Structures are given as structure tokens and as C-alpha cells.
């Protein structure tokens, strides 16, 4: 490519890079991938710059190169799924339910008094013994046991109340699930 065409291409990139980057961001959701896409398309276009007779159509040409490049990337992606004739026996663990349970537990812990909350956290989350918990909180082992018993009872009660509220909100009678219609 002649020196004049190199300068022309550099000038084109300088003046159009923001608009071209916006186009790339519309093609791929990740901003870093959009920059990579634009750079790859610019490299490919640079090699063919002298073949573009009407430079007013350079934007359209470059956008087409971006679309083709994105399609190549999509086709070359590594698929994590492997087709198989039989489903595996083991269930794949999904942490979504665990996160929801933890969020619920953190929410209902708010109903406990600070002393009760401290005992529950040390005994069950920190897995301290009754004696270690008593020493950490400056109370007797018997007080730790009775406080823990009352706290767990309060947590069970709060869980039952929330479960009943949820069933009521869904229009279900407590203790009965609505039968699903196989229509």
C-alpha cells in the first residue's frame, strides 16, 4: 500500500473510530470484546484498503467485516455441552437454591435478639463447641444451651410464618399444594 493510502487509512480511523466502536458494541455485549472486534476488523480492512474504490463506502465495508468476524468467533466458540444418548445419573449442583436459602436465613436472623444471634452464629456458622461459645460470649454453658434452644425455636417459628404467608399469597391452603392440570 502506498504511503498516501496509509495516511488516508489512519485519518479515516481517527475520524470514524468512535462511530465504529459504537457499531462494534451493538454487535457484542462486552466492551472489551467490542474493542477486540473493531481492532480485528480494522486489521483486515487495512490489508484491503486500496481495493475500496469509493472510500465513502468504507463504513459499510468495515461494518460488514465486523459482522463476518463476529460470526467467525461465534462459530469457533468452544461448546461446553456434549450431546449424549443417555442422561447422567448424578444431578448437577446449582448454587442458586443455596444462595436463596442463605439470603432467607440472613433475613430471618434479623428477628433474633443480638445475644441469640451471636450464639447461633458461633455455634452453627463458626462451629464452636458449647464451652467455646460460652467463653467467647462470657456466659455459662447452660445459658448458651438455653439461648440457642430459644433462638432456634424462634427461627423455626419465623420460617413457618413466612411459609404460610407465601402460601397465602399464592392462594394455597396451608399444608396443601394445588394440583396441577395437565392440559
Amino acid at each position: 500500500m502506498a504511503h498516501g493510502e496509509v495516511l488516508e487509512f489512519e485519518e479515516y480511523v481517527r475520524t470514524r473510530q468512535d462511530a465504529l466502536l459504537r457499531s462494534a458494541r451493538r454487535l457484542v455485549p462486552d466492551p472489551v470484546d467490542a474493542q477486540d472486534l473493531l481492532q480485528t476488523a480494522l486489521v483486515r480492512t487495512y490489508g484491503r484498503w486500496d481495493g475500496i474504490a469509493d472510500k465513502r463506502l468504507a463504513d459499510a465495508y468495515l461494518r460488514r467485516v465486523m459482522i463476518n468476524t463476529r460470526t467467525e468467533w461465534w462459530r469457533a466458540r468452544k461448546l461446553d455441552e456434549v450431546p449424549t444418548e443417555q442422561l447422567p445419573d448424578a444431578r448437577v449442583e446449582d448454587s442458586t437454591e443455596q444462595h436463596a436459602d442463605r439470603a432467607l436465613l440472613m433475613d430471618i436472623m434479623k428477628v433474633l435478639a443480638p445475644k441469640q444471634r451471636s450464639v447461633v452464629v458461633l455455634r452453627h456458622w463458626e462451629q464452636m463447641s458449647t464451652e467455646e461459645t460460652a467463653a467467647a460470649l462470657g456466659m455459662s454453658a447452660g445459658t448458651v444451651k438455653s439461648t440457642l434452644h430459644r433462638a432456634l425455636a424462634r427461627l423455626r417459628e419465623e420460617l413457618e410464618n413466612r411459609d404460610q404467608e407465601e402460601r397465602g399469597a399464592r392462594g394455597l391452603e396451608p399444608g396443601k399444594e394445588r394440583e396441577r392440570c395437565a392440559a
Side-chain angles (χ1 to χ4, degrees):
M1 187 171 358
H3 182 63
E5 288 181 335
V6 170
L7 293 176
E8 183 181 23
F9 181 78
E10 288 176 358
E11 180 62 26
Y12 168 76
V13 171
R14 226 183 337 274
T15 59
R16 299 297 300 149
Q17 66 184 358
D18 292 336
L20 294 170
L21 184 57
R22 282 192 301 274
S23 294
R25 296 227 23 209
R26 289 183 196 112
L27 292 172
V28 291
D30 184 51
V32 174
D33 288 342
Q35 290 175 348
D36 288 344
L37 178 63
L38 178 58
Q39 287 298 318
T40 303
L42 286 171
V43 168
R44 291 179 178 180
T45 303
Y46 178 78
R48 305 224 180 230
W49 186 251
D50 56 347
I52 302 173
D54 188 358
K55 302 300 188 210
R56 292 177 296 170
L57 300 176
D59 279 0
Y61 182 89
L62 195 60
R63 286 188 178 102
R64 186 76 245 168
V65 172
M66 284 193 286
I67 290 168
N68 291 342
T69 302
R70 188 221 35 210
T71 303
E72 288 173 17
W73 290 355
W74 182 80
R75 287 179 181 158
R77 75 193 185 287
K78 183 177 189 274
L79 297 177
D80 293 332
E81 296 180 20
V82 178
T84 180
E85 290 292 322
Q86 295 182 357
L87 295 175
D89 292 334
R91 182 179 121 185
V92 176
E93 290 299 319
D94 182 11
S95 62
T96 305
E97 193 171 310
Q98 289 176 340
H99 289 293
D101 289 345
R102 185 176 179 93
L104 174 63
L105 184 57
M106 294 303 291
D107 191 45
I108 66 168
M109 287 283 286
K110 294 174 185 174
V111 302
L112 297 178
K115 180 179 168 182
Q116 290 177 325
R117 196 172 336 157
S118 299
V119 170
V120 170
V121 168
L122 292 179
R123 286 288 288 128
H124 290 285
W125 266 310
E126 299 297 326
Q127 298 182 346
M128 290 181 160
S129 68
T130 302
E131 292 75 24
E132 291 170 330
T133 303
L137 297 175
M139 56 178 70
S140 69
T143 303
V144 168
K145 290 178 183 178
S146 63
T147 303
L148 181 62
H149 177 75
R150 284 192 297 278
L152 293 177
R154 179 69 180 107
L155 289 174
R156 283 187 203 99
E157 178 185 317
E158 183 66 20
L159 275 173
E160 288 173 7
N161 289 342
R162 289 186 184 207
D163 186 47
Q164 287 177 357
E165 288 173 7
E166 184 179 319
R167 288 176 187 273
R170 289 188 291 160
L172 300 175
E173 293 179 33
K176 293 188 179 185
E177 290 291 329
R178 184 181 292 176
E179 291 184 28
R180 291 193 173 167
C181 190

